[in-house]
Amino acid sequence: MQDGAKWIQTVIVDDDFLVRSYLKQLKAWEKAGYQIIADARDGEEALELAEERKADLEVIFTDISMPLVDGIELIRRLRETNNAVYIVVLSCHDDFEYVKEAMKWGADEYVLKNSLDECSLYEMLVAIKKQVEGRKEKARRDAKARCLMEMGRHTLKYHFFNGLISGNFQPQERERKREEAGIAGKYTNSAIVNMCILKWGELKNSYSPLDLEQYAQGFLQKLSEETKGKRADLPDTEIVYLGEGIFCCFADMSDLRLSSLMQQKLASIAAACLRCCKKEIHTFAIGVSNVCFGEAGIQEAYQQAREMIKVSFYKEGDIFFYGDSPKVGKVLPQEAEDLLEQAPSYVQRQQYDLLKDGFQAVIDAASRQYTDSRLILHWIKRMDRQLHFERGAEQYAGIIRIRQLLDICGEYRNKFFLKGKRPIPESTSQGVRLAVHFLHGHYKEQVGLPEAAEAAGLNPSYLSYIFKQELGIGFSAYLLNLRMEHAKALLCSTNEKVKNVAAQSGFNDYHYFSKAFKKNTGVSPADYRKQNHLK
């Protein structure tokens, strides 16, 4: 077999061990490009193998007369679910009536067992291979045609429901578009389950448009099977992909009369959608509308479902029902506007604690009123521009929870408030990294080597040794530099007394601070302020 060619996956079924052994040892299989992936003693075992390997099984050689499930029953049951596999019947001279029955149920070919040898088997396998490859090519063409037809139908469905949502249709046009798209439901009363991939913006930067479109079409098929194929008692539903990781299940409630029954059916549809989303590798948020009445009700249902997606910015969970969750706020909290104005001053004066408190106030205020996440995202962009902080489009797209505002505050801290921080070499051990992170978070407190060692999970003496070895600076000197940089920033940007500056920078001994400061800068703290204070 040539390199790169694909083996034809084959199973042999016969209750006679000697027959199976004889057939498997023939070299013609490998020569013709076949791989015997398994053998079975009867039809029952063969059916189990066919189910396990249905994705790649291509050819079955089977005896007719076998215990339990014979060859005829095997062929009949295989053809109920698999028309692609090529079936060859192994027969004896006195099996001709059985062979005719096997051919009637879908066998492709038969061969006498006692006529098989290397030469005859090879000739048969070469001929079968052409049939198998032709069948596979036809299956590919049929699948492509079905895909194109489904894409065309989906396009019609998309335009129909998009028209309903936007309210663009006149009554006669609405009915004509519905019939063109092959939609059974009238949608005079409607409900919507909206499913949204939360990190779609990040996915767009990781996958090609074709990959994303193929994923969307595959997920549409799964949703359709989950909501239509498994529950005959559910109302008519149509699944539509609206783009940008947004999928909608439109549920037609037009034929139902009891409100309680409508709610029950809607809950079942939502549960089916949730099951489907849970199986995916991507994280979905799901918003569910009320049942909305009248032909224009579908517009209201869509707005309700979309609004519930926004609630996921604040609340942990997979699915949100309209009415069970608060309405989304349409106004940015005043705390956000205030912080936008104050942040540059906090950076200039190195008042990180105030900046962090401001971010927490924004989180608390926005969470109380469930501020529209789009307003929060726009506010973050304004804050970035205000502080001259660069962030890529994919990073903005990755902001999907309100708690991530604290991460953004931390990014500001790393860029604007840790100017004395030395870069940590990539080769630095985990213990030293933990100690460094501890120092940057606590240098203004009365901490030292014992506390840092405890945070890093190391012996203090050992931490002192490897700290100097890996960073090229002693532990005490590193901590002193952090405190000095903070003191310099306060002297430049505030009018705090020098004694207070020392205390706020982690020095509990004012005289030591003054002495160490002059040694570090060549001037006293007071003179340094005169030379560098921001007017």
Side-chain angles (χ1 to χ4, degrees):
M1 186 174 177
Q2 294 180 348
D3 292 341
K6 185 179 180 297
W7 295 93
I8 294 180
Q9 309 293 291
T10 307
V11 168
I12 295 174
V13 188
D14 200 300
D15 63 326
D16 191 327
F17 172 76
L18 294 177
V19 171
R20 299 199 311 273
S21 300
Y22 169 72
L23 289 175
K24 288 193 295 182
Q25 58 85 33
L26 294 175
K27 303 297 183 184
W29 300 102
E30 183 176 354
K31 183 179 177 183
Y34 288 66
Q35 181 182 32
I36 299 175
I37 57 175
D39 60 280
R41 294 171 296 181
D42 56 55
E44 189 171 18
E45 282 189 8
L47 287 168
E48 291 177 1
L49 285 169
E51 178 63 26
E52 292 173 4
R53 304 298 295 269
K54 62 183 177 182
D56 53 5
L57 179 59
E58 296 170 290
V59 176
I60 288 181
F61 278 72
T62 181
D63 190 15
I64 293 182
S65 301
M66 296 181 292
L68 300 177
V69 176
D70 64 13
I72 302 296
E73 180 67 7
L74 170 62
I75 294 166
R76 186 185 69 79
R77 288 168 63 177
L78 278 174
R79 286 303 184 223
E80 288 178 354
T81 58
N82 190 337
N83 286 317
V85 66
Y86 197 95
I87 302 175
V88 181
V89 173
L90 298 170
S91 70
C92 299
H93 284 291
D94 56 354
D95 284 340
F96 189 65
E97 290 301 320
Y98 286 109
V99 169
K100 288 196 296 183
E101 187 74 6
M103 301 300 284
K104 184 181 81 171
W105 285 107
D108 294 290
E109 197 162 343
Y110 75 94
V111 60
L112 295 174
K113 290 183 185 180
N114 58 8
S115 71
L116 283 177
D117 56 21
E118 292 283 6
C119 184
S120 62
L121 178 61
Y122 177 74
E123 290 179 357
M124 171 182 281
L125 294 177
V126 170
I128 290 174
K129 188 173 184 178
K130 292 180 181 178
Q131 296 289 329
V132 170
E133 290 176 346
R135 191 172 290 183
K136 283 159 58 177
E137 178 59 30
K138 182 178 184 301
R140 282 193 290 268
R141 290 197 302 268
D142 290 347
K144 185 176 181 180
R146 286 194 300 272
C147 181
L148 290 172
M149 288 176 61
E150 188 58 35
M151 287 176 66
R153 182 168 180 267
H154 181 266
T155 299
L156 292 174
K157 288 198 297 182
Y158 170 85
H159 286 299
F160 172 73
F161 284 107
N162 195 49
L164 292 188
I165 291 168
S166 58
N168 290 337
F169 289 153
Q170 297 298 322
Q172 289 184 341
E173 183 185 15
R174 171 188 170 119
E175 185 61 17
R176 179 172 59 82
K177 293 288 187 181
R178 185 183 70 82
E179 291 178 354
E180 284 178 358
I183 294 170
K186 298 290 187 179
Y187 290 93
T188 51
N189 299 328
S190 312
I192 292 176
V193 180
N194 192 297
M195 294 150 278
C196 177
I197 298 177
L198 287 178
K199 293 192 176 182
W200 183 258
E202 290 185 358
L203 293 177
K204 287 172 65 176
N205 289 284
S206 303
Y207 297 93
S208 70
L210 179 59
D211 288 337
L212 294 174
E213 182 62 27
Q214 288 176 338
Y215 172 79
Q217 294 302 320
F219 185 59
L220 274 176
Q221 182 63 32
K222 295 175 189 176
L223 280 170
S224 181
E225 292 171 358
E226 191 70 44
T227 55
K228 289 186 175 183
K230 298 184 179 180
R231 292 285 302 274
D233 61 321
L234 293 181
D236 284 329
T237 58
E238 294 292 346
I239 314 292
V240 179
Y241 178 53
L242 301 181
E244 296 299 307
I246 300 171
F247 301 82
C248 265
C249 176
F250 295 89
D252 177 39
M253 302 292 183
S254 305
D255 294 334
L256 300 177
R257 294 293 174 262
L258 294 176
S259 178
S260 59
L261 183 59
M262 292 182 187
Q263 292 299 329
Q264 177 187 335
K265 299 296 185 182
L266 176 58
S268 297
I269 293 170
C273 291
L274 176 61
R275 285 194 301 273
C276 201
C277 291
K278 282 285 195 180
K279 296 174 185 176
E280 297 300 298
I281 59 173
H282 306 302
T283 301
F284 284 78
I286 305 175
V288 185
S289 74
N290 286 331
V291 178
C292 298
F293 300 97
E295 291 190 348
I298 198 166
Q299 296 170 265
E300 182 182 0
Y302 180 74
Q303 293 302 323
Q304 289 178 358
R306 287 294 294 156
E307 187 164 318
M308 288 303 95
I309 293 291
K310 298 173 185 176
V311 172
S312 69
F313 191 71
Y314 297 94
K315 293 178 68 174
E316 295 293 335
D318 304 299
I319 188 165
F320 303 96
F321 288 84
Y322 190 83
D324 293 342
S325 298
K327 291 186 177 181
V328 174
K330 305 300 183 182
V331 179
L332 192 69
Q334 185 59 44
E335 289 84 349
E337 295 290 1
D338 292 343
L339 185 58
L340 191 67
E341 181 179 342
Q342 296 160 353
S345 174
Y346 293 156
V347 171
Q348 184 185 53
R349 296 173 180 273
Q350 291 292 284
Q351 296 171 315
Y352 174 70
D353 289 343
L354 293 179
L355 181 71
K356 184 177 180 181
D357 290 344
F359 264 89
Q360 188 61 58
V362 172
I363 292 172
D364 294 341
S367 299
R368 283 194 298 271
Q369 64 188 47
Y370 286 80
T371 305
D372 192 318
S373 58
R374 292 175 298 181
L375 294 176
I376 298 297
L377 186 60
H378 181 62
W379 175 77
I380 293 169
K381 292 178 179 179
R382 291 167 63 198
M383 181 70 78
D384 283 346
R385 288 195 298 269
Q386 185 89 313
L387 299 179
H388 306 288
F389 188 94
E390 293 186 5
R391 197 186 309 273
E394 71 282 357
Q395 292 172 295
Y396 289 118
I399 301 171
I400 60 172
R401 305 286 188 195
I402 187 66
R403 64 174 180 268
Q404 290 176 266
L405 265 62
L406 288 179
D407 298 331
I408 291 170
C409 184
E411 291 172 359
Y412 291 156
R413 175 178 179 269
N414 292 338
K415 180 170 181 178
F416 302 121
F417 294 88
L418 299 178
K419 297 179 180 178
K421 181 178 179 180
R422 287 169 171 253
I424 303 176
E426 293 184 4
S427 59
T428 303
S429 64
Q430 178 68 6
V432 172
R433 286 181 180 274
L434 289 173
V436 169
H437 290 312
F438 175 81
L439 289 181
H440 282 287
H442 301 275
Y443 68 88
K444 290 182 280 186
E445 304 166 18
Q446 296 308 304
V447 297
L449 183 61
E451 290 79 12
E454 182 178 355
L458 298 174
N459 176 275
S461 298
Y462 179 64
L463 174 60
S464 178
Y465 171 75
I466 63 172
F467 198 99
K468 178 69 178 288
Q469 291 292 315
E470 295 183 13
L471 298 185
I473 182 174
F475 178 89
S476 297
Y478 191 95
L479 177 56
L480 179 63
N481 283 348
L482 284 177
R483 289 170 169 166
M484 281 294 173
E485 289 298 324
H486 187 71
K488 292 176 188 177
L490 291 178
L491 289 169
C492 292
S493 60
T494 74
N495 293 314
E496 287 281 355
K497 294 179 179 180
V498 175
K499 189 173 183 178
N500 292 339
V501 168
Q504 292 174 24
S505 302
F507 296 95
N508 61 351
D509 186 329
Y510 172 68
H511 296 291
Y512 169 73
F513 166 69
S514 298
K515 184 177 179 181
F517 192 93
K518 187 168 185 178
K519 183 178 179 180
N520 180 274
T521 63
V523 296
S524 68
D527 288 339
Y528 185 87
R529 167 173 276 168
K530 291 177 183 178
Q531 297 170 10
N532 298 282
H533 193 272
L534 299 174
K535 303 300 183 184

